[in-house]
Amino acid sequence: MPAARDPAQAGEQETTPRFISVVGAGQMGSGIAQVAAMSGYPVLMHDLDPGQLDRGRTRIRASLDRFIKSGRMDQAAAQAALDRIQTTTRLDEAADHADFIFENVPEILELKQEVFTQLDRIAPPHAVLATNTSQLSPTAIGRDVGRRDRVLAMHWFNPPPIMKLIEVIRALETSDDTVGRSVRLASSMGKDVVICQKDSPGFIVTRLLLAQRAEALRLLDEGIASVADIDRAIELALNHPMGPFKLADQTGLDTALRNMEYLAAEYGGRFRPTATLRNMVQVGRLGRKSGRGFYGYQP
Ligand SMILES: NC(=O)c1ccc[n+]([C@@H]2O[C@H](COP(=O)([O-])OP(=O)(O)OC[C@H]3O[C@@H](n4cnc5c(N)ncnc54)[C@H](O)[C@@H]3O)[C@@H](O)[C@H]2O)c1
């Protein structure tokens, strides 16, 4: 196990964690492990699949190389970050020393509940269990654990080493102390946070994103403006880097449709997907990944 990070040396309060665990080493988990290691934390990265641990490490190495090439990091710092990450297929090994655990297994409620129940048994009593769910309820994910005051969601954005924001979502019984520890940890890793005070579908970011997307789809279906003009209006007048249709093509229109249906079920008509979006998904125009969505793409 690598040496614990010394919060005093980093000029931080004693309550920042000394050991971090990441459960699930896919796209997000490996990115979060990288961010934590780049910030000086020893990290244990766990996955059931050893191949995923290898691929996670390869992704981290490639990302660190890009940091070096762009002059944002030197070789020694990148190597030190890599050395801080250990991997294991055993959950008990990953969690029994951890002060803070980031769960990144697939977006399936029963799976996340099971992982939380196991973590509750293994992790030290003071450890915080944070889920990186995109849209499930952190209250439901932590339903069966004893330490419900130390459960919350920390929703990262992809790719974690680049994206600046973490959305912190309180579960029903999350304590102020847990929120404080999470905010301090995020800040020690160079991230900004927004706090969603109530566990509610779509949290903050997804609700804002889909509200704009729903209105853009209505403008299109009403024949008021073209795809390109709606995107340009948002990019040039509202200063977003990417319009709603370009972004939806990138996310995948099947995912975009599912997300809208999920929020429509909760909040009603204002999030209802339009006929155009449904039809496009029907015929397999799914965006960038299928070569055609609102725009055409070269293979
Ligand atoms: N991909 C994104 O853009 C994004 C953004 C924000 C949040 N999220 C959320 O992050 C979570 C992970 O997403 P991802 O894109 O990294 O998925 P992924 O499929 O890339 O990775 C999931 C990993 O979990 C592992 N896993 C499965 N069951 C496990 C278990 N019981 N114990 C340990 N590991 C297990 C898998 O082997 C896999 O490596 C999901 O909840 C997702 O909704 C994803």
Side-chain angles (χ1 to χ4, degrees):
M1 164 111 29
R5 182 177 186 273
D6 182 1
Q9 208 176 1
E12 293 157 3
Q13 300 182 23
E14 272 300 321
T15 50
T16 50
R18 295 163 74 83
F19 290 105
I20 286 182
S21 286
V22 172
V23 175
Q27 215 179 339
M28 296 304 289
S30 62
I32 293 169
Q34 178 186 339
V35 173
M38 283 167 68
S39 312
Y41 293 104
V43 182
L44 262 163
M45 185 166 77
H46 161 77
D47 203 291
L48 294 178
D49 175 357
Q52 280 294 84
L53 290 172
D54 290 343
R55 282 186 285 279
R57 220 173 227 295
T58 303
R59 256 194 314 273
I60 293 171
R61 201 172 285 119
S63 170
L64 288 170
D65 280 346
R66 287 192 292 276
F67 274 88
I68 296 169
K69 277 206 189 79
S70 62
R72 285 175 292 172
M73 204 175 199
D74 63 28
Q75 183 77 45
Q79 188 57 51
L82 208 51
D83 291 345
R84 283 186 204 106
I85 302 174
Q86 295 198 343
T87 58
T88 175
T89 52
R90 287 183 43 190
L91 189 65
D92 54 351
E93 206 171 87
D96 68 358
H97 271 74
D99 302 306
F100 210 102
I101 302 178
F102 290 109
E103 170 274 308
N104 288 275
V105 303
E107 189 79 348
I108 302 164
L109 178 61
E110 297 71 23
L111 175 62
K112 287 188 188 283
Q113 283 172 333
E114 172 59 26
V115 168
F116 266 61
T117 305
Q118 289 178 36
L119 287 173
D120 193 34
R121 256 198 324 266
I122 302 165
H126 68 276
V128 172
L129 311 183
T131 174
N132 183 24
T133 180
S134 303
Q135 56 180 22
L136 297 172
S137 153
T139 308
I141 291 171
R143 184 190 65 180
D144 300 325
V145 310
R147 64 182 86 194
R148 288 208 287 260
D149 58 322
R150 270 149 289 155
V151 166
L152 83 176
M154 286 180 81
H155 181 206
W156 295 63
F157 297 86
N158 194 12
I162 303 295
M163 298 296 283
K164 193 86 186 120
L165 187 74
I166 300 176
E167 193 177 22
V168 170
I169 300 111
R170 275 179 184 277
L172 188 66
E173 296 182 5
T174 309
S175 68
D176 291 345
D177 179 61
T178 299
V179 173
R181 285 168 69 187
S182 308
V183 170
R184 282 194 295 280
L185 173 58
S187 155
S188 75
M189 296 190 293
K191 301 295 180 190
D192 275 340
V193 300
V194 289
I195 300 176
C196 184
Q197 301 286 1
K198 281 188 184 165
D199 181 2
S200 51
F203 313 139
I204 303 171
V205 174
T206 305
R207 253 172 98 167
L208 290 171
L209 168 75
L210 296 195
Q212 187 200 66
R213 181 173 294 161
E215 206 52 44
L217 282 164
R218 283 195 285 262
L219 281 169
L220 182 69
D221 273 29
E222 290 164 19
I224 291 168
S226 67
V227 164
D229 278 359
I230 295 168
D231 272 353
R232 280 221 305 277
I234 297 272
E235 289 162 14
L236 301 180
L238 305 186
N239 214 12
H240 291 211
M242 207 185 281
F245 294 114
K246 279 184 201 152
L247 189 56
D249 269 2
Q250 192 165 298
T251 307
L253 298 191
D254 46 351
T255 305
L257 177 61
R258 247 196 332 271
N259 292 346
M260 289 185 79
E261 282 170 340
Y262 174 69
L263 285 200
E266 185 66 25
Y267 299 111
R270 71 188 204 261
F271 288 106
R272 193 172 306 128
T274 57
T276 302
L277 181 61
R278 289 186 194 286
N279 289 337
M280 289 171 75
V281 172
Q282 279 290 330
V283 300
R285 280 176 59 179
L286 302 181
R288 202 172 262 283
K289 65 184 169 188
S290 72
R292 195 165 171 221
F294 288 105
Y295 297 90
Y297 299 92
Q298 301 296 339

